[in-house]
């Protein structure tokens, strides 16, 4: 059976040719030839036909500013199109492997592993698992929403060409439509003319939830249901396994533009979207459930439910009965739609809780089952029920987040009016004060009294004052998590508990409306995990709040800032150790831990294949519940295409089910003491080397001169500022532009620097290569860490990076670039030896990907260097420079 009629090379070739036609038609023959000449020169150098890139550099520099802009535009558009071609190839691989039964990490393979256990153990594992992808508004998406929309259209046309049997005329019409979209794409501005606002970011996240994930989730549940039935006797029910969350419109850390109004608008818009989706689903279901009431027995439970709706909505009930005379299911569905219409309405009768809607769907399903219509339930009712369980009445629950210092300062300013000098209290005194304040009945501060406070502190109090209103209006679950950035002391968590208590969101011991989530990201915080969490678990007020939340503690680990502070190897080891330590602390206090992994898209910020990351977690930390951030361009790559989105969710679920089973079978994984000692040696030395680099005199200046950081700060990628205070220090710079800058210059040091120094230290102290090879073969953590570093090394191009280094002052260049080169060469050598292979990466597709892309990225880099090195740039040159950053990001398929 032939599933597809095309291949990636054909797609790339024909899209490239069509782009060339559009480019020439929209510009000129001369401009087209300039792009073609650059392309050929770059390919010839890469293939060995040219000895140097000097002729290519000369070509680019001799172009007029207008022609340079066209060249940058041409290569940027090319990458956007071949990204679609490669996306289509991923879909082909998924469909082909699924058809042939060779798909790795499938739900079938997960079910086979579960099938080794008895049915009760399988039920427990399924009940334990809850996966919470959390979409953030972190500014790493370089493409405009308008551009993404046009690319989605082209992707749909490619699918039509590939998967449908078309006549010659039909195929010609499809290509005409692709031509039209590419022409429109060329005429559309690539660079934003304004900084996106928080609500733009919230709408962007909402798009993926509404247009892809809403439909995909039900299909994943269906597949798992079938796989479990085939492998596990007893057919256990499949509970809720997924929940989607978002920071877009609610993450205030470093972003003054995220106001209570923005959050309220986001909550309202998301509720409107999900209710409309449910209404559409129930309308379609009404078209199916046309059963004649005189020929079936709907059952007493169904009739009682319908009668309650009639009493609740008498006017609508009469209309439903007249329209659907003798059709009980349609009457019920009509009234269910009416109840959805009244959610958040002044009229009574709307659904107050999502459980009420689920109960109605279950009543319909059971009635159908009793009438022998099980297939109708499986095909039409169960998918809706699972959508409702997953997306609730809010589409995605919002997490609030802010920096701990903002809470401290706000409380101190508010307490000053009460004659209390909070800033002057010691940590122990702060803990005691906050605990007593939460436990007493009377409020301590008035959240509405903000006139005498600073703007930042007023915003904090206004937020908590609004939180109670939001939970009343939209339900507690719509916004029930508060994350605290840079948590380093127990008081930082108790401060949020105190503010929530003053707002009435918490009323102990009976009720706590929020999970308070410490974000541990500095070495001080991570190493002090027992001090922080142990104090909280033993604190009278916090213990009551924890009890009210089911004794589940969510703890967030910050990958980005941890890496920026300590370097790749040391950060990964610290995170691994501290995950185990946190697991022990929670076990000691009989608390269920839910780790929240603050992963970015790039390797250095915790990125990489999600399924491998989940399987590499320490067994003692795998409680079944797991949460992780999805951000920037990674969201588009994973969730824009429905089939790829389904595959990603399937891989997550495969990994988490298997990881949980292994944790049940063996709560503590076997990690040899020799391996731990090896990692301690390597990580300590690697951290020292990394810190020495960052703290070397002149390194900040080198970074500024040898990367396009100044351009990136002005790209309008997101609503949040690029740095925390506007100062030029590595510590102050946010992790995203830090990684983005190195990625643009093709020297991706955040993903590999100091690994070689660390490994060499172990070998020099008497460690053996055989030990490292055994660790790689038998320890998932070590293997995943090195494989991820290998991906960053593979994407690094030191010849191009050298061009950027040449822009730095000569003494800075000579001091730092050879140091980076030596570390790179040794890391590549060592990783290949440890992995016992003759190339860096283990993925065939990556080699093909790099071979296809590198010759086209190179001209953009060389043009960017030329423009960066100019002391005075015209407006058109500034726009071209910013466009090169977009193009390189598209070519690298990564920003930060």
């Amino acid at each position: 059976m032939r599933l597809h009629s095309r291949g990636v090379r054909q797609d790339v070739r024909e899209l490239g040719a069509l782009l060339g036609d559009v480019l020439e038609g929209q510009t000129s023959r001369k401009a087209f030839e300039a792009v073609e000449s650059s392309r050929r020169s770059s390919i010839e150098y890469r293939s060995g036909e040219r000895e140097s890139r000097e002729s290519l550099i000369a070509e680019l520099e001799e172009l007029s500013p207008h022609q340079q802009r066209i060249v940058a535009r041409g290569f940027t558009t090319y990458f956007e199109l071949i990204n679609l071609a490669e996306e289509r190839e991923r879909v082909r691989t998924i469909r082909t492997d699924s058809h042939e039964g060779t798909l790795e990490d499938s739900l079938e393979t997960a079910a086979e592993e579960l099938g080794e256990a008895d049915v009760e153990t399988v039920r427990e594992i399924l009940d334990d698992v809850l996966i919470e992808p959390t979409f953030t508004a972190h500014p790493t998406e370089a493409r405009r929403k308008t551009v993404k929309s046009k690319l989605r259209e082209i992707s749909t046309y490619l699918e039509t060409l590939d998967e449908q049997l078309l006549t010659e005329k039909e195929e010609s019409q499809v290509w005409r439509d692709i031509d039209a979209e590419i022409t429109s794409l060329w005429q559309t501005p690539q660079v934003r003319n304004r900084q996106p606002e928080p609500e733009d970011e919230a709408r962007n996240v909402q798009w993926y939830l509404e247009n892809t994930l809403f439909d995909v989730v039900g299909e994943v549940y269906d597949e798992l249901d079938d796989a479990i039935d085939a492998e596990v006797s007893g057919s256990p029910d499949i509970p809720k396994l997924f929940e989607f969350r978002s920071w877009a419109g609610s993450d205030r850390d470093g972003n003054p533009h995220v106001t209570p109004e923005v959050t309220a608008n986001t909550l309202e818009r998301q509720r409107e979207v999900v209710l409309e989706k449910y209404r559409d689903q129930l309308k379609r279901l009404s078209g199916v459930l046309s059963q004649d009431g005189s020929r079936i027995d709907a059952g007493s439970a169904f009739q009682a439910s319908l009668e309650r709706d009639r009493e609740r909505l008498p006017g609508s009930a009469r209309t439903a009965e007249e329209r659907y005379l003798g059709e009980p299911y349609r009457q019920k569905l009509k009234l269910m739609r009416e109840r959805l219409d009244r959610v958040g309405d002044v009229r009574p009768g709307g659904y107050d809780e999502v459980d009420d809607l689920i109960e109605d769907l279950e009543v319909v399903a059971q009635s159908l089952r009793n009438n022998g219509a099980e297939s109708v339930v499986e095909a039409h009712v169960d998918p809706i029920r699972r959508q409702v369980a997953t997306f609730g009445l809010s589409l995605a629950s919002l997490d609030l987040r802010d920096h701990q210092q903002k809470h401290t300062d706000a409380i101190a300013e508010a307490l000053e009016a009460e004659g209390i000098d909070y800033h002057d209290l010691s940590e122990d005194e702060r803990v005691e004060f906050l605990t007593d304040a939460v436990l007493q009945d009377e409020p301590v501060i008035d959240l509405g009294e903000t006139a005498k406070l600073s703007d930042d502190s007023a915003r904090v109090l206004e937020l908590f004052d609004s939180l109670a209103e939001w939970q009343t209006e939209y339900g507690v679950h719509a916004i029930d998590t508060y994350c605290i950035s840079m948590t380093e002391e127990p008081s930082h968590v108790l401060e949020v508990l105190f503010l929530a208590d003053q707002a009435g969101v918490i009323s102990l011991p009976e009720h706590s409306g929020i999970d308070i989530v410490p974000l541990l990201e500095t070495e001080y915080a991570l190493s002090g995990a027992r001090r922080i969490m142990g104090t909280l678990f033993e604190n009278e007020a916090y213990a009551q709040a924890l009890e009210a939340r089911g004794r589940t503690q969510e703890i967030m680990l910050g990958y980005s800032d941890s890496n920026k502070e300590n370097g790749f190897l040391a950060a990964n080891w610290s995170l691994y150790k501290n995950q185990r330590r946190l697991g022990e602390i929670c076990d000691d206090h009989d608390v269920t831990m839910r780790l929240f992994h603050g992963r970015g898209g790039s390797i250095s910020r915790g990125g990489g294949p999600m399924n491998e990351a989940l399987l590499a977690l320490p067994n003692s930390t795998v409680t079944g519940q797991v949460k992780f951030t999805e951000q920037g361009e990674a969201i588009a790559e994973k969730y824009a295409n429905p089939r790829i989105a389904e595959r990603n969710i399937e891989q997550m679920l495969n990994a988490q089910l298997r990881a949980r089973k292994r944790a049940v079978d063996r709560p503590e994984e076997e990690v040899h003491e020799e391996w731990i000692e090896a990692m301690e040696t390597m990580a300590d030395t690697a951290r020292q080397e990394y810190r020495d680099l960052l703290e070397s005199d002149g390194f900040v200046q080198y970074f500024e001169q040898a990367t396009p950081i100044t351009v990136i700060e002005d790209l309008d990628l997101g609503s949040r500022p690029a740095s925390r205070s506007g100062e030029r220090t590595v510590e102050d710079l946010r992790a995203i532009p830090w990684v983005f800058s190195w990625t643009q210059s093709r020297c991706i040091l955040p993903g590999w620097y100091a690994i070689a120094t660390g490994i060499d230290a172990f070998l020099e102290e008497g460690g053996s290569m055989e030990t490292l090879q055994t660790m790689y073969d038998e320890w998932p953590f070590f293997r995943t860490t090195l494989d991820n570093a290998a991906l960053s090394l593979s994407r690094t191009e030191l010849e191009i990076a050298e061009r950027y280094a040449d822009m730095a002052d000569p003494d800075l260049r000579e001091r730092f670039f050879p140091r980076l080169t030596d570390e790179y060469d040794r890391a590549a050598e060592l990783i290949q030896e440890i992995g016992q292979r003759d190339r860096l990466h283990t993925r065939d597709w990556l080699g093909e990907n790099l071979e296809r892309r590198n010759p086209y990225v190179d001209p953009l880099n060389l043009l960017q260097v030329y423009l960066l090195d100019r002391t005075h740039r015209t407006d058109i040159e500034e726009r071209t420079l910013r466009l090169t950053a977009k193009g390189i990001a598209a070519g690298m398929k990564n920003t930060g």
Side-chain angles (χ1 to χ4, degrees):
M1 178 182 176
R2 189 178 182 188
L3 297 176
H4 309 100
S5 60
R6 299 172 63 82
V8 65
R9 292 185 179 180
Q10 182 183 3
D11 285 341
V12 169
R13 184 177 64 252
E14 294 182 359
L15 287 171
L18 185 53
L19 173 61
D21 292 341
V22 169
L23 189 155
E24 182 176 358
Q26 294 294 309
T27 57
S28 66
R29 181 68 188 177
K30 186 177 181 181
F32 168 75
E33 289 175 348
V35 176
E36 275 295 287
S37 179
S38 300
R39 183 182 73 87
R40 284 195 301 269
S41 295
S42 185
I43 291 173
E44 287 168 3
Y45 175 75
R46 285 277 183 175
S47 65
E49 297 177 47
R50 291 181 183 239
E51 292 185 1
S52 77
R53 288 192 172 97
E54 294 308 316
S55 60
L56 171 58
I57 294 170
E59 283 181 44
L60 293 168
E61 293 181 359
E62 289 168 4
L63 295 173
S64 70
H66 178 69
Q67 289 173 324
Q68 289 174 342
R69 182 163 175 77
I70 290 173
V71 168
R73 186 69 183 275
F75 282 112
T76 298
T77 307
Y78 173 79
F79 282 125
E80 289 171 336
L81 294 177
I82 70 164
N83 285 347
L84 297 180
E86 290 180 352
E87 177 185 272
R88 175 104 296 268
E89 184 66 7
R90 287 175 67 191
V91 172
R92 288 188 194 102
T93 301
I94 292 167
R95 295 185 77 225
T96 300
D97 289 353
S98 179
H99 176 66
E100 295 175 356
T102 58
L103 193 65
E104 296 181 353
D105 308 318
S106 67
L107 296 179
E108 286 78 11
T109 58
E112 287 174 12
E113 197 163 322
L114 291 178
E116 299 168 2
D118 61 79
V119 67
E120 284 306 314
T121 301
V122 173
R123 284 197 181 98
E124 290 175 10
I125 291 170
L126 290 170
D127 286 339
D128 288 343
V129 168
L130 180 65
I131 302 171
E132 298 183 87
T134 302
F135 298 95
T136 79
H138 285 359
T140 63
E141 172 60 84
R143 292 176 300 180
R144 295 180 62 215
K145 185 178 179 181
T146 301
V147 170
K148 288 189 291 185
S149 177
K150 294 181 184 301
L151 293 173
R152 280 297 99 215
E153 287 295 316
I154 297 172
S155 175
T156 302
Y157 292 134
L158 288 178
E159 178 181 330
T160 300
L161 290 170
D162 193 34
E163 296 184 15
Q164 293 186 22
L165 188 61
L166 303 175
T167 66
E168 186 175 331
K169 181 178 180 180
E170 289 169 338
E171 184 174 339
S172 176
Q173 289 171 339
V174 173
W175 276 110
R176 177 204 61 198
D177 293 341
I178 294 175
D179 188 325
E181 286 294 341
I182 294 176
T183 300
S184 178
L185 181 64
W186 183 267
Q187 295 175 343
T188 298
Q190 283 276 354
V191 179
R192 292 187 181 99
N193 57 16
R194 67 171 178 86
Q195 187 176 28
E197 297 175 355
E199 290 196 52
D200 297 327
E201 295 166 334
R203 288 188 188 93
N204 182 55
V205 166
Q206 177 189 308
W207 188 92
Y208 295 100
L209 292 162
E210 177 184 359
N211 293 289
T212 303
L213 290 166
F214 187 85
D215 294 321
V216 159
V217 163
E219 296 170 14
V220 172
Y221 276 111
D222 284 346
E223 290 179 26
L224 180 64
D225 214 345
D226 292 342
I228 293 290
D229 282 348
E231 297 293 338
V232 179
S233 60
S235 300
D237 292 334
I238 307 298
K240 172 182 172 180
L241 300 170
F242 280 97
E243 181 176 296
F244 294 96
R245 305 188 70 91
S246 176
W247 284 10
S250 58
D251 176 11
R252 285 157 171 73
D253 183 17
N255 194 341
H257 307 300
V258 180
T259 63
E261 182 182 8
V262 167
T263 304
N265 290 343
T266 301
L267 286 165
E268 179 63 26
R269 189 169 52 250
Q270 288 188 171
R271 183 169 70 179
E272 289 174 358
V273 166
V274 80
L275 292 178
E276 186 61 32
K277 297 292 282 188
Y278 295 152
R279 283 192 287 266
D280 289 345
Q281 293 289 69
L282 294 181
K283 184 69 174 176
R284 280 192 287 271
L285 184 59
S286 184
V288 174
L289 302 187
S290 55
Q291 283 85 344
D292 184 346
S294 65
R295 301 177 62 182
I296 63 167
D297 179 5
S300 59
F302 177 89
Q303 291 295 348
S305 176
L306 182 58
E307 190 56 39
R308 285 193 296 272
D309 282 348
R310 286 171 175 163
E311 293 173 3
R312 186 182 288 117
L313 306 166
S316 299
R318 286 192 295 272
T319 302
E321 195 166 2
E322 291 170 4
R323 182 177 299 177
Y324 301 117
L325 186 63
E327 296 177 305
Y329 295 138
R330 284 182 163 175
Q331 291 178 29
K332 175 66 177 175
L333 291 170
K334 170 64 177 171
L335 296 177
M336 288 170 67
R337 296 202 303 276
E338 178 63 26
R339 293 191 71 187
L340 287 172
D341 284 339
R342 297 189 181 202
V343 172
D345 199 315
V346 294
R347 296 172 298 169
Y351 286 109
D352 293 324
E353 303 286 345
V354 70
D355 288 346
D356 297 337
L357 177 55
I358 293 173
E359 183 181 336
D360 273 354
L361 288 166
E362 185 54 45
V363 163
V364 173
Q366 191 56 52
S367 176
L368 288 167
R369 290 190 192 99
N370 294 342
N371 284 280
E374 180 68 34
S375 61
V376 176
V377 173
E378 292 178 356
H380 299 287
V381 183
D382 281 349
I384 303 174
R385 182 172 56 81
R386 284 166 173 162
Q387 286 170 328
V388 173
T390 301
F391 297 98
L393 299 179
S394 56
L395 188 64
S397 300
L398 296 187
D399 286 8
L400 294 162
R401 183 173 77 130
D402 210 339
H403 194 285
Q404 56 86 3
Q405 191 63 47
K406 295 291 177 63
H407 310 131
T408 302
D409 291 343
I411 290 173
E413 289 185 37
L415 289 176
E416 188 176 353
E418 305 298 326
I420 301 171
D421 187 352
Y422 184 75
H423 274 312
D424 197 46
L425 299 180
S426 68
E427 172 61 21
D428 288 345
E429 289 170 335
R430 289 184 183 186
V431 168
E432 182 180 1
F433 170 79
L434 294 166
T435 303
D436 292 343
V438 171
L439 291 176
Q440 76 175 34
D441 293 333
E442 294 300 314
V444 177
I445 61 175
D446 184 348
L447 297 180
E449 289 290 333
T450 61
K452 297 181 180 180
L453 304 185
S454 66
D455 290 345
D456 281 350
S457 294
R459 278 194 288 265
V460 170
L461 267 58
E462 184 183 358
L463 166 66
F464 280 91
D465 205 19
S466 301
L467 179 55
E469 297 174 9
W470 294 332
Q471 291 197 343
T472 300
E473 172 68 18
Y474 300 100
V476 170
H477 192 64
I479 183 163
D480 65 348
T481 298
Y482 199 109
C483 184
I484 309 165
S485 298
M486 289 292 172
T487 299
E488 295 193 326
E489 301 292 348
S491 66
H492 296 159
V493 177
L494 293 175
E495 285 168 352
V496 172
L497 184 72
F498 167 75
L499 289 167
D501 174 69
Q502 300 302 292
V505 172
I506 287 172
S507 179
L508 299 180
E510 295 84 7
H511 173 71
S512 175
I514 58 169
D515 286 324
I516 303 176
V517 182
L519 169 48
L520 309 180
E521 46 197 329
T522 64
E523 184 61 31
Y524 175 74
L526 288 166
S527 61
R530 183 170 287 277
R531 169 180 56 83
I532 297 169
M533 301 313 303
T535 300
L536 290 170
F537 292 155
E538 293 167 8
N539 178 274
E540 183 180 358
Y542 195 80
Q544 289 184 21
L546 193 63
E547 193 70 38
R549 300 296 290 179
R551 297 196 65 75
T552 296
Q553 175 65 55
E554 185 174 307
I555 303 170
M556 186 173 184
L557 299 175
Y559 287 68
S560 300
D561 283 293
S562 178
N563 178 284
K564 187 161 70 72
E565 180 187 11
N566 302 295
F568 179 77
L569 187 64
N572 274 274
W573 179 236
S574 177
L575 287 163
Y576 179 87
K577 284 193 304 180
N578 284 294
Q579 286 176 63
R580 296 183 70 180
R581 182 181 299 154
L582 288 166
E584 292 169 0
I585 296 167
C586 289
D587 283 346
D588 290 346
H589 292 85
D590 192 27
V591 171
T592 299
M593 180 175 68
R594 175 169 60 238
L595 281 179
F596 183 4
H597 302 274
R599 295 161 50 94
S602 61
I603 295 297
S604 57
R605 296 182 53 241
M610 176 61 70
N611 54 316
E612 294 179 13
L614 291 174
L615 287 167
L617 295 175
N619 283 9
S620 58
T621 71
V622 182
T623 62
Q625 298 187 42
V626 68
K627 186 173 173 182
F628 45 84
T629 52
E630 298 278 30
Q631 53 187 269
E633 75 287 338
I635 296 177
E637 187 172 343
K638 291 181 179 181
Y639 300 109
N641 183 291
R643 285 186 174 132
I644 292 173
E646 182 179 355
R647 171 65 172 153
N648 271 288
I649 293 175
E650 179 182 81
Q651 286 181 300
M652 291 176 201
L653 186 52
N654 166 287
Q656 191 65 0
L657 289 170
R658 291 165 59 203
R660 181 56 187 155
K661 180 180 183 298
R662 294 173 188 182
V664 169
D665 291 343
R666 190 172 61 185
E668 286 289 341
E669 64 181 326
E670 183 180 358
V671 181
H672 300 299
E673 190 62 34
E674 180 185 18
W675 298 356
I676 293 175
E677 292 173 359
M679 278 305 310
E680 290 287 353
T681 298
M682 290 187 284
D684 286 347
T685 307
R687 185 181 187 279
Q688 291 171 20
E689 169 62 23
Y690 177 80
R691 293 304 309 175
D692 184 69
L693 174 71
L694 264 60
E695 293 165 6
S696 294
D697 184 43
F699 179 73
V700 172
Q701 289 81 2
Y702 175 79
F703 167 67
E704 187 167 23
Q705 294 172 15
T707 76
I709 178 60
T710 54
V711 179
I712 287 163
E713 288 176 324
D714 294 329
L715 271 180
D716 292 338
L717 292 183
S719 65
R720 193 171 72 166
S723 68
R724 291 180 169 87
S725 68
E727 297 179 4
R728 174 67 78 240
T729 64
V730 173
E731 288 73 20
D732 184 69
L733 192 70
R734 294 193 181 279
I736 292 166
W738 164 253
V739 178
F740 195 172
S741 301
W742 290 113
T743 303
Q744 286 274 304
S745 66
R746 310 287 286 282
C747 181
I748 314 175
L749 74 83
W752 50 260
Y753 189 79
I755 280 184
T757 298
I759 295 173
D760 277 335
F762 168 72
L763 295 173
E764 289 165 7
E765 290 187 11
S768 69
M769 178 57 65
E770 289 75 18
T771 297
L772 295 174
Q773 289 170 342
T774 302
M775 290 167 63
Y776 182 85
D777 289 339
E778 298 180 11
W779 192 11
F781 159 76
F782 189 64
R783 181 171 59 254
T784 300
T785 300
L786 289 197
D787 283 351
N788 282 340
L791 291 176
S792 291
L793 288 162
S794 297
R795 293 184 170 114
T796 294
E797 286 286 331
L798 287 182
E799 273 192 54
I800 295 293
E802 187 173 10
R803 296 284 175 176
Y804 287 83
D806 289 343
M807 293 190 297
D809 293 341
D811 62 322
L812 294 178
R813 184 212 183 282
E814 292 309 310
R815 201 184 319 162
F816 293 111
F817 189 68
R819 182 172 177 178
L820 303 183
T821 301
D822 291 346
E823 187 71 24
Y824 173 90
D825 290 339
R826 183 63 176 149
E829 176 187 335
L830 285 167
I831 286 177
Q832 287 178 84
E833 187 174 358
I834 292 169
Q836 301 180 71
R837 56 183 186 256
D838 57 4
R839 65 180 183 181
L840 269 172
H841 59 82
T842 59
R843 294 166 171 83
D844 291 335
W845 62 264
L846 179 59
E848 296 172 7
N849 181 294
L850 293 173
E851 185 178 345
R852 181 161 50 239
R853 288 168 175 277
N854 280 338
Y856 295 81
V857 184
D858 296 348
L860 287 169
N861 281 115
L862 298 173
L863 181 56
Q864 186 179 85
V865 168
Y866 167 73
L867 293 170
L868 283 169
D869 211 25
R870 290 178 65 82
T871 53
H872 299 288
R873 290 186 291 269
T874 64
D875 288 345
I876 189 172
E877 286 174 330
E878 284 288 350
R879 291 196 298 273
T880 301
L881 181 56
R882 296 172 72 198
L883 185 55
T884 62
K886 304 274 186 176
I888 294 166
M892 298 289 289
K893 297 184 79 171
N894 197 271
T895 54

